[in-house]
Amino acid sequence: MADGFIPLEYTEYTIAEMQQRAASFYDDVRRRRTVRDFSDRAVPRQVIEQCIASAGTAPSGANQQPWHFVAVSDASVKHRIREAAEAEERAFYSGKASEEWLSALEPLGTDAQKPFLDTAPWLIAIFGESYGVAEDGSQVKHYYVQESVGIATGMLITALHHAGLAALTHTPSPMGFLNTVLGRPSNERPFLLLVAGYPSDDAQVPDIARKPLEGISSFV
Ligand code: IYR
């Protein structure tokens, strides 16, 4: 065997099993909705840890795993994030965003108020490492950082849903305040803020639909 290689651990399923697994996975993930009304009920840290571990199995450019996840449950840190995010959102909704952008957001009913940043038990700030830092302090080039962190984030969202939690992909823009509030180094760029927890009892979601398979794919 070539040096540095090990045998693949692989489980093969029958075609029938495969069809059944593909269908039941779809049946689960199609129920995922982006939620903005969160309960303050606690969610065990261990569940969040496990979901982040799942995200960390994502493929990445040159296997550099250029991501860092900061899971925040501390109320005062969450509040500082809320204050900073709402300041950016006020600027966004009252001037920075184009009319076209605001009208695209209209069906979602969003505004500059982000109470869920206090309410939800967990905020997960996801950072992409623009470059690595070697032991001697020199910079290590990273490849496909956005793609890699995007894939890991998708896996985290799916893992949270699979565990039975609701999540929101939140993108206050710009998000540089996350480095300051969370004390992250300058080689890490905030990618997304994920809000996770139980939905509130009266949570509502916009009545919007997904494109059909024919609308998102072609087979040749
Ligand atoms: N970051 C803002 C605006 C916003 C932008 C997009 I694109 C969305 O899909 C949803 C919201 C906010 O969180 O309100």
Side-chain angles (χ1 to χ4, degrees), residues 36 89 92-93 101 105 108 110-112 114 170-173:
R36 291 188 169 78
E89 297 292 10
F92 174 85
Y93 283 97
W101 195 343
L105 292 179
L108 306 182
T110 54
D111 59 30
K114 306 297 175 192
H170 182 43
T171 52
S173 169

Side-chain angles (χ1 to χ4, degrees), residues 58-59 67 126 144-157 191-192:
W67 40 63
I126 304 166
Y144 296 104
V145 174
Q146 293 294 104
E147 291 83 350
S148 304
V149 180
I151 294 167
T153 299
M155 291 177 66
L156 178 53
I157 292 167
F191 181 75
L192 200 77

Side-chain angles (χ1 to χ4, degrees), residues 31-108:
R31 289 171 213 280
R32 186 200 59 77
R33 291 297 311 257
T34 290
V35 167
R36 291 188 169 78
D37 302 326
F38 285 86
S39 154
D40 62 2
R41 279 166 65 200
V43 167
R45 169 178 165 154
Q46 192 209 356
V47 175
I48 302 300
E49 285 177 347
Q50 206 74 69
C51 291
I52 293 174
S54 292
T57 68
S60 63
N63 190 37
Q64 285 167 324
Q65 306 168 55
W67 40 63
H68 186 84
F69 302 88
V70 183
V72 181
S73 61
D74 182 281
S76 66
V77 180
K78 287 193 297 179
H79 192 67
R80 263 184 282 152
I81 291 175
R82 177 182 179 178
E83 296 277 300
E86 286 185 336
E88 298 295 358
E89 297 292 10
R90 281 192 293 274
F92 174 85
Y93 283 97
S94 61
K96 252 173 67 182
S98 63
E99 280 307 314
E100 188 179 11
W101 195 343
L102 291 178
S103 78
L105 292 179
E106 183 95 43
L108 306 182

Side-chain angles (χ1 to χ4, degrees), residues 35-38 48 78 81 114-126 157 160 165-171 192-198:
V35 167
R36 291 188 169 78
D37 302 326
F38 285 86
I48 302 300
K78 287 193 297 179
I81 291 175
K114 306 297 175 192
F116 48 76
L117 295 175
D118 276 326
T119 318
W122 291 99
L123 308 180
I124 308 174
I126 304 166
I157 292 167
L160 291 166
L165 292 172
L168 164 66
T169 42
H170 182 43
T171 52
L192 200 77
L193 187 58
L194 264 190
V195 183
Y198 291 98

